[in-house]
Amino acid sequence: MRKLITTLAATTVLAIGSSAIIGQAVAWDGFDWETSSDITIESGNLVRPGEEIEYYDWEASEYRYGEVDRINSRGNSVEVEIYDYDTGEYRTFDMDR
């Protein structure tokens, strides 16, 4: 019985640790050169033209919302242009591949 409990505890710890690593791996990191801000698009956002996304602006230290206008692949990065609902302006993010 003790061995079963130890095995279950180890399995639970492993599952939680794996979930944390997977959760971190699916966030999409990038940079806004105009505002000199790191950007993170969390998992669960469908990044396609016409879709609304939530992203974290590290310079502003807050989550923001916008609508994806266009997406362009460029070498080792992906350029994502969004219309920022908070500022009413277009922003271009240079996202990692």
Side-chain angles (χ1 to χ4, degrees):
M1 184 68 165
R2 175 175 263 161
K3 186 174 183 178
L4 176 61
I5 292 172
T6 303
T7 302
L8 288 174
T11 303
T12 302
V13 168
L14 183 60
I16 291 170
S18 297
S19 295
I21 291 169
I22 291 169
Q24 291 173 352
V26 294
W28 198 14
D29 294 320
F31 194 76
D32 182 340
W33 291 98
E34 191 170 313
T35 63
S36 298
S37 179
D38 289 306
I39 300 295
T40 301
I41 300 173
E42 300 292 343
S43 64
N45 285 285
L46 180 60
V47 184
R48 301 280 185 272
E51 295 291 331
E52 182 179 279
I53 62 168
E54 175 186 47
Y55 62 94
Y56 191 79
D57 183 324
W58 290 91
E59 181 69 22
S61 300
E62 65 183 6
Y63 282 95
R64 293 195 171 169
Y65 296 89
E67 182 177 319
V68 178
D69 185 55
R70 65 181 174 81
I71 302 170
N72 291 320
S73 294
R74 298 179 326 140
N76 292 331
S77 66
V78 177
E79 187 177 84
V80 179
E81 184 173 321
I82 66 137
Y83 176 77
D84 187 306
Y85 294 148
D86 295 323
T87 64
E89 297 178 356
Y90 285 89
R91 296 180 68 178
T92 303
F93 303 152
D94 191 16
M95 306 302 292
D96 299 336
R97 268 202 191 246

